[in-house]
Amino acid sequence: MLRLLAFSSLLVCASAGLIGFTQSIAVRGKLMCNDQPAGNVRIKMYDEDSCQCCFVPAVLSTIDFPFYCVTCYTQNKPNVHEFIMVSSVIDDLLDSGESSSDGSFSLAGTDNEVTRLDPKINIYHDCDDGFTPCQRRITIYIPKKYITKGPTATQTYDAGVIQLAGKFSGETRDCIHRH
């Protein structure tokens, strides 16, 4: 029982960011719309959290974890009914801001994670959008080599000049700007 309590404490601390190591990331760029600076465009930087799972005894499903618990069915685990899958699926917001009147932006953020950050920026805009409801959202993934171990980024990823008038692979529409 003591091992179970220790394991569950470790799991809760890891998910709450109480253990792990401090990592930081910075990004800059310039946004254009039809060759004109795109000012006041919302940009958010996230650590993308995918469905990472670990297995814990089902008795822990009665505890109110700050993340999702889903019944897991797997052939690799004996007595599958005694296990649950714990997944953190909410991306961590690292920083947000708006582009300046000349279209430039700069974001920097820090997070404590057990695993390496999976940094990305989401850009929410209306360039070449007409009267379509909600905003266009494009996502740009930041290479991991720009992640710094520690509280301050030592290098900055330069996203360059981004022409928002084009169509982007994976582009979506977003009314809420949560992710």
Side-chain angles (χ1 to χ4, degrees), residues 29-33 35-43 97-106:
K30 186 169 185 173
L31 304 177
M32 303 292 284
C33 179
D35 299 322
Q36 298 296 314
N40 299 315
V41 172
R42 170 68 60 193
I43 304 111
E98 291 185 354
S99 59
S100 64
S101 61
D102 70 351
S104 63
F105 68 91
S106 180

Side-chain angles (χ1 to χ4, degrees), residues 110-176:
T110 302
D111 198 10
N112 289 330
E113 288 283 331
V114 174
T115 59
R116 285 187 82 182
L117 295 176
D118 292 311
K120 68 178 184 178
I121 58 170
N122 287 344
I123 301 171
Y124 307 90
H125 67 94
D126 289 312
C127 180
D128 269 3
D129 206 19
F131 296 105
T132 309
C134 304
Q135 289 185 301
R136 295 170 59 189
R137 178 181 77 190
I138 62 169
T139 298
I140 298 172
Y141 291 90
I142 302 169
K144 291 185 184 291
K145 74 178 193 174
Y146 292 94
I147 299 170
T148 301
K149 206 175 207 181
T152 306
T154 58
Q155 54 183 343
T156 301
Y157 174 66
D158 189 344
V161 177
I162 302 167
Q163 179 57 259
L164 299 174
K167 298 293 180 197
F168 295 87
S169 176
E171 181 177 312
T172 60
R173 301 203 71 75
D174 194 316
C175 297
I176 302 174

Side-chain angles (χ1 to χ4, degrees), residues 46-111:
Y46 290 96
D47 169 30
E48 184 176 68
D49 289 332
S50 58
C51 294
Q52 300 171 350
C53 65
C54 54
F55 294 92
V56 296
V59 68
L60 295 179
S61 66
T62 60
I63 299 172
D64 186 20
F65 283 118
F67 40 76
Y68 301 102
C69 296
V70 180
T71 303
C72 183
Y73 299 98
T74 178
Q75 295 178 0
N76 297 332
K77 295 288 178 184
N79 302 319
V80 71
H81 62 280
E82 294 179 6
F83 287 84
I84 58 172
M85 181 178 77
V86 179
S87 299
S88 174
V89 293
I90 300 173
D91 294 343
D92 300 320
L93 179 65
L94 302 176
D95 196 11
S96 67
E98 291 185 354
S99 59
S100 64
S101 61
D102 70 351
S104 63
F105 68 91
S106 180
L107 300 174
T110 302
D111 198 10

